Amino acid sequence: MCLQKSLILSKIVPAEKGEASAKISFNAPKTLVNGTPIPSSFKVNVYRNDELAKEFSVTQGQIVDWTDEKPVLGSSTYRFVAVLGELEGVARCLR
């Protein structure tokens, strides 16, 4: 499930015509959904069309910039999911 708004802010910029890449930026969340501060480092998984594209180890509010060098030609949906231990957060999806 993807929400239009979530704790992770994200931006995707496709490459110029003819180039196969996408610049992706996001801020790791600072709090849990209930407002409790996240106590330690955690992971953010980035999925491209429901397949894991990249896993990041992050800290609260960390800004992450990544270039996806293997995007699917045409349209892709990216899903960002924060993971704290065994718990997954609410996903944020962008096309």
Side-chain angles (χ1 to χ4, degrees):
M1 178 170 107
C2 294
L3 297 181
Q4 210 169 21
K5 226 176 178 183
S6 75
L7 298 175
I8 298 175
L9 306 174
S10 44
K11 179 180 179 181
I12 298 174
V13 178
E16 297 294 321
K17 284 186 175 182
E19 294 182 38
S21 69
K23 291 183 182 182
I24 298 170
S25 301
F26 66 89
N27 294 46
K30 296 179 181 179
T31 62
L32 301 174
V33 174
N34 66 5
T36 303
I38 294 174
S40 61
S41 61
F42 56 99
K43 292 189 291 188
V44 173
N45 292 337
V46 180
Y47 295 86
R48 179 192 329 102
N49 298 333
D50 294 325
E51 289 189 28
L52 182 63
K54 186 76 173 174
E55 181 180 285
F56 295 94
S57 292
V58 298
T59 57
Q60 296 178 12
Q62 180 180 339
I63 297 170
V64 178
D65 294 310
W66 170 58
T67 299
D68 184 0
E69 300 289 347
K70 299 178 182 179
V72 176
L73 294 179
S75 180
S76 293
T77 299
Y78 289 87
R79 183 166 48 103
F80 303 82
V81 181
V83 180
L84 182 59
E86 298 293 319
L87 302 174
E88 286 193 354
V90 177
R92 166 89 191 255
C93 299
L94 291 176
R95 290 188 103 196

